Amino acid sequence: MIEYLLDLVDSAPDRLALLKSIDDNVWGIPLLSLLVGTGIYLTLRLGFIQVFKLPLALRYVIRPDRSDKSYAGDISSFAALTTALAATIGTGNIVGVATAIKVGGPGALFWMWLAAFFGMATKYAESMLAVKYRKIDENGQMSGGPMYYITKGRW
């Protein structure tokens, strides 16, 4: 098996075949199962947070508690929400929905909603880790994100 892979890597036209083979085996059911499965797992572990904590989240975004200075940041909670939404929702998602409906029919929209529902728990977990492992840099600015929680998080 290793010799076969080395032979593919040695020749330029076969590199494309190797990448195509990897793409065919990873993308599709395995990756979708992993992504949605992670969302289902987090939804169950967090107690359906996307349903039961939605009113609280909306209240914090619309009217944040300004008296609590222990969680002060560089930007307001509304600005953080709109920035996160701008980074998450874009032209690719709009084109992706149109393409999914064109290729898969109207039923594709249901599956996209279902995946998005479970994806909310994944997004919450990612954001929570980014806040937990953020730090203040030498300029006094908050820094955080995947590069921090991947390196500082403990398994």
Side-chain angles (χ1 to χ4, degrees):
M1 178 68 177
I2 293 175
E3 293 172 355
Y4 171 73
L5 292 175
L6 290 175
D7 289 339
L8 283 177
V9 170
D10 287 340
S11 60
D14 289 334
R15 283 187 208 159
L16 183 60
L18 173 66
L19 292 175
K20 176 101 172 92
S21 173
I22 292 171
D23 179 61
D24 290 343
N25 290 319
V26 171
W27 183 249
I29 299 298
L31 185 60
L32 292 175
S33 299
L34 183 64
L35 288 173
V36 175
T38 301
I40 292 170
Y41 171 76
L42 288 171
T43 296
L44 295 174
R45 289 282 295 176
L46 295 170
F48 286 86
I49 193 167
Q50 62 268 59
V51 175
F52 296 114
K53 297 295 182 178
L54 182 62
L56 178 65
L58 291 175
R59 190 173 72 229
Y60 280 152
V61 168
I62 295 170
R63 288 184 289 142
D65 185 11
R66 303 230 185 260
S67 64
D68 188 8
K69 297 298 180 191
S70 64
Y71 294 105
D74 293 334
I75 61 174
S76 70
S77 58
F78 182 74
L81 173 70
T82 55
T83 302
L85 287 175
T88 305
I89 303 168
T91 308
N93 286 340
I94 295 168
V95 172
V97 171
T99 304
I101 291 172
K102 173 70 176 158
V103 172
L109 195 58
F110 167 77
W111 293 108
M112 290 175 70
W113 283 343
L114 191 67
F117 175 78
F118 292 117
M120 285 185 229
T122 307
K123 185 65 176 174
Y124 167 79
E126 180 185 352
S127 299
M128 187 271 309
L129 287 172
V131 170
K132 180 177 180 177
Y133 292 107
R134 68 183 174 182
K135 68 174 193 133
I136 299 176
D137 64 9
E138 59 276 354
N139 297 328
Q141 301 286 323
M142 294 260 188
S143 298
M147 60 285 220
Y148 288 95
Y149 64 74
I150 289 173
T151 57
K152 296 180 184 223
R154 291 184 178 52
W155 299 91

